[in-house]
Amino acid sequence: MKSLITLIFLFIIYLGFILPQEFNSQELYNSYPTYKESDIKNKRFKHADLNRKIKNIKKNSLINVESAGKSLDGREIYLLSIGEGKTNVLLWSQMHGDESTATMALFDLFNFWEADDNFNKFREKILKKLKIFFIPMLNPDGAEDIKRRNALNIDLNRDALRLEFPESKILKTVRDRLKPKFAFNLHDQNPRYTSGNSYHSATISFLAPAYNYEKEVNEVRGNTMKLIVNLFDELNKFIPGHIAKYKDDFEPRAFGDNFIKLGTSTVLIESGGWKNDEEKQFVRKLNFISILTGLNSIANKLYKNADIEAYYSIPINDNLLFDLLLRNLSVKYKNKKYKIDIGINKEEVFTKDQSQNYYIGKIEDWGDLSIFYGYDEFDLNGYEIKKSKIYNLPLHNLNELDINKILKGGYGFIKLDSLSINREFSSIPFNLILNNAEVKQEPEYNGYANFTIWKDKKVFYNVINGFIYDVRAEIDAQNNGLIFNQ
Ligand SMILES: [Zn+2]
């Protein structure tokens, strides 16, 4: 009899695991691929793509879609909503046009509401307690040009007081109409920010903005801090050490600061860098988890029990990362050798038609960089840098090049008479010189990152446009070079 009761008891526990469950961030993390909006594959989607997606959402009765107004250049800005709860929550993304990570996550989130799975109970509860409003892509004109500012190059997050521009007016009008208890202000930050003075990139950073210069904490700001503590605890399971917070200097012209002043607990979430995630797809997933964690905390008032002191112990953003850091090299100057570290960053740029991105690698700094870190690092004590060589290509067919052989030879540039196709960057790992254009071969501070790395009169590494190649290995390079033309 006793064992039967135990068996029934165990069965009930088992049911608890397989029946529709409530919030569990690990489970959510695992099932994320089923919600991911597969149409958005990289961060370069535009307002036209958004229009298309929203048209599809309109067909779905769960999510309500209305127009919130038009941007300076006349692009539609949407307000979507779901839920029937008494507590309003507002989320907006991409008020800076080139910060699209959270917009991608919002579309994953729209799919999440439509799903029918283990999270049914969770969804039901959230939507019963909250009414959630979304403005994805508040700055569609900036998004169109992949730039931070709006069509007139105004930083909208400095227009919260004057409210001169339509995008700012829309956001303020929506807030005043809804008077949300909580809001999420979703941005991207410099991918080279670190969590405090550690070598960890700040993959997600938070801020509970101040509402005055004294940085006082009232209930509205205090609740923001507590919510962030909940977000930190959940995210820390997936990216320990990679979470930070922004400095809380009061910015009277910013929206977060003003919304807190008006009574809306506004969380700033900044999507930062993660190694080898240039398209921000992993950070997108972390946004999805963060937002649902936040909604769960608000709906169930979990933030109320959070320890506000934990907010203060989140490390502050620092700026200590290079894309590539080469330590302890020697450089020759007037026949004397000097020890230097070299910090290289690869700036992402877009082709004129914005269909492709490529990189421009520069020597950001050199000298003693011992306090810094790199996404990639090499200790090259005993190695010396020398200029890259120019390879004269007698034929015009780049496909016939033996890439490995030329890399091993210490070449960084290929000189051609002309190119048969009009390109903005070189799709092979070498820089191209056209029409006898002048190039600086000697590596220099602030110059392009092209040089070779030698030991015992042999080339060991070849750095071209900021990418490093170990010439002893078989190289299957997909990286790009630059084109120097007259
Ligand atoms: Zn921003």
Side-chain angles (χ1 to χ4, degrees):
M1 189 62 196
K2 213 172 173 186
S3 65
L4 185 68
I5 292 170
T6 312
L7 214 64
I8 290 168
F9 184 69
L10 283 174
F11 183 64
I12 289 168
I13 291 176
Y14 169 71
L15 274 182
F17 276 107
I18 60 156
L19 283 178
Q21 59 164 301
E22 297 214 31
F23 184 76
N24 174 325
S25 60
Q26 184 62 56
E27 180 88 359
L28 201 59
Y29 187 92
N30 298 344
S31 30
Y32 169 77
T34 59
Y35 315 119
K36 186 174 176 176
E37 177 55 56
S38 53
D39 248 20
I40 305 178
K41 292 183 182 67
N42 64 49
K43 57 194 180 188
R44 292 179 305 286
F45 57 92
K46 296 295 177 66
H47 186 252
D49 303 308
L50 186 115
N51 276 341
R52 210 161 13 86
K53 308 233 136 294
I54 292 204
K55 220 178 235 172
N56 283 335
I57 291 174
K58 269 185 186 164
K59 292 179 197 153
N60 158 20
S61 57
L62 270 180
I63 301 174
N64 180 59
V65 180
E66 57 182 300
S67 169
K70 286 196 162 127
S71 69
L72 194 57
D73 274 352
R75 293 192 172 88
E76 196 80 47
I77 295 168
Y78 298 97
L79 179 65
L80 291 85
S81 58
I82 190 166
E84 58 222 16
K86 286 201 193 96
T87 305
N88 285 348
V89 179
L90 172 66
L91 301 94
W92 74 90
S93 72
Q94 224 170 337
M95 75 186 311
H96 293 139
D98 57 353
E99 299 175 6
S100 64
T101 304
T103 307
M104 298 191 273
L106 289 184
F107 280 93
D108 303 335
L109 198 62
F110 299 148
N111 290 338
F112 176 76
W113 303 121
E114 292 179 46
D116 177 12
D117 57 19
N118 270 354
F119 285 98
N120 285 350
K121 208 169 148 190
F122 168 72
R123 273 187 282 265
E124 216 174 277
K125 206 166 173 185
I126 296 279
L127 299 180
K128 219 170 111 188
K129 294 193 171 171
L130 307 180
K131 185 150 192 184
I132 315 161
F133 294 84
F134 309 88
I135 306 177
M137 201 187 274
L138 181 65
N139 178 7
D141 301 343
E144 202 64 18
D145 273 353
I146 321 185
K147 65 177 186 184
R148 176 182 177 88
R149 295 174 174 233
N150 79 349
L152 194 64
N153 283 323
I154 301 294
D155 186 339
L156 296 172
N157 209 19
R158 298 293 179 266
D159 193 34
L161 276 187
R162 198 173 277 180
L163 297 168
E164 186 65 18
F165 291 90
E167 299 88 352
S168 317
K169 279 183 196 151
I170 285 168
L171 182 55
K172 178 66 164 40
T173 307
V174 168
R175 199 230 72 96
D176 289 353
R177 188 184 109 199
L178 303 174
K179 298 190 173 55
K181 187 166 170 62
F182 281 91
F184 293 79
N185 179 8
L186 306 167
H187 290 254
D188 280 75
Q189 66 181 357
N190 184 340
R192 300 179 192 102
Y193 279 164
T194 45
S195 174
N197 62 358
S198 77
Y199 60 89
H200 286 125
S201 59
T203 309
I204 294 282
S205 293
F206 297 109
L207 176 66
Y211 59 91
N212 59 17
Y213 285 110
E214 291 73 33
K215 304 180 188 180
E216 287 174 292
V217 181
N218 59 6
E219 197 192 339
V220 178
R221 187 169 182 226
N223 284 343
T224 316
M225 291 173 164
K226 288 178 174 179
L227 183 64
I228 289 172
V229 171
N230 283 165
L231 297 178
F232 179 93
D233 288 344
E234 288 303 322
L235 270 191
N236 206 38
K237 297 173 183 170
F238 308 106
I239 49 166
H242 286 272
I243 309 168
K245 68 171 185 281
Y246 252 80
K247 269 202 193 139
D248 64 350
D249 293 332
F250 177 53
E251 170 48 77
R253 303 166 300 162
F255 275 94
D257 308 53
N258 279 283
F259 282 6
I260 292 224
K261 203 190 272 181
L262 291 170
T264 295
S265 297
T266 308
V267 178
L268 177 80
I269 303 183
E270 297 270 359
S271 294
W274 183 257
K275 191 173 174 171
N276 298 326
D277 186 27
E278 280 79 12
E279 292 298 340
K280 295 272 188 108
Q281 298 303 302
F282 177 60
V283 191
R284 163 186 180 173
K285 178 176 177 174
L286 296 172
N287 264 260
F288 175 85
I289 307 280
S290 301
I291 292 166
L292 280 172
T293 300
L295 295 175
N296 182 54
S297 169
I298 297 164
N300 297 303
K301 299 191 165 64
L302 303 178
Y303 62 90
K304 292 202 165 177
N305 301 322
D307 175 15
I308 203 165
E309 287 307 313
Y311 177 81
Y312 292 100
S313 56
I314 299 173
I316 289 180
N317 269 358
D318 208 334
N319 195 353
L320 298 177
L321 268 174
F322 290 102
D323 291 337
L324 175 62
L325 180 55
L326 309 177
R327 299 187 192 273
N328 304 314
L329 279 156
S330 73
V331 61
K332 206 182 256 174
Y333 185 73
K334 296 189 173 164
N335 283 322
K336 254 186 90 178
K337 279 185 184 174
Y338 300 90
K339 184 166 91 173
I340 56 166
D341 309 315
I342 303 183
I344 292 168
N345 284 343
K346 286 166 278 188
E347 190 205 343
E348 184 182 36
V349 284
F350 301 94
T351 52
K352 286 190 192 98
D353 70 358
Q354 292 169 2
S355 64
Q356 288 174 287
N357 52 344
Y358 63 100
Y359 295 90
I360 299 178
K362 286 196 160 172
I363 297 177
E364 194 76 22
D365 202 357
W366 66 10
D368 177 359
L369 303 180
S370 55
I371 63 160
F372 293 96
Y373 306 99
Y375 271 108
D376 284 306
E377 284 190 16
F378 291 78
D379 187 346
L380 297 169
N381 197 14
Y383 292 79
E384 186 185 346
I385 64 165
K386 290 181 184 178
K387 67 180 182 187
S388 318
K389 294 195 282 184
I390 298 174
Y391 187 85
N392 284 293
L393 190 66
L395 35 118
H396 293 174
N397 192 353
L398 287 171
N399 298 329
E400 289 171 28
L401 280 181
D402 184 341
I403 288 180
N404 275 281
K405 199 175 144 199
I406 300 175
L407 277 170
K408 282 186 174 89
Y411 296 93
F413 303 88
I414 293 176
K415 200 173 199 170
L416 296 159
D417 292 339
S418 64
L419 260 186
S420 52
I421 37 167
N422 191 20
R423 296 196 53 102
E424 292 171 53
F425 63 94
S426 148
S427 56
I428 55 171
F430 300 100
N431 301 296
L432 304 182
I433 300 174
L434 302 180
N435 301 313
N436 284 314
E438 290 263 328
V439 292
K440 264 241 162 72
Q441 277 174 272
E442 289 290 344
E444 59 177 7
Y445 166 65
N446 256 332
Y448 295 113
N450 300 304
F451 51 87
T452 49
I453 299 171
W454 296 67
K455 195 180 184 179
D456 305 326
K457 295 186 176 152
K458 274 196 300 209
V459 183
F460 279 77
Y461 298 95
N462 195 338
V463 176
I464 303 173
N465 192 32
F467 297 96
I468 186 163
Y469 304 98
D470 181 341
V471 304
R472 292 158 296 176
E474 195 62 26
I475 296 155
D476 179 25
Q478 299 294 321
N479 305 319
N480 73 278
L482 301 179
I483 297 181
F484 296 90
N485 204 343
Q486 271 195 330

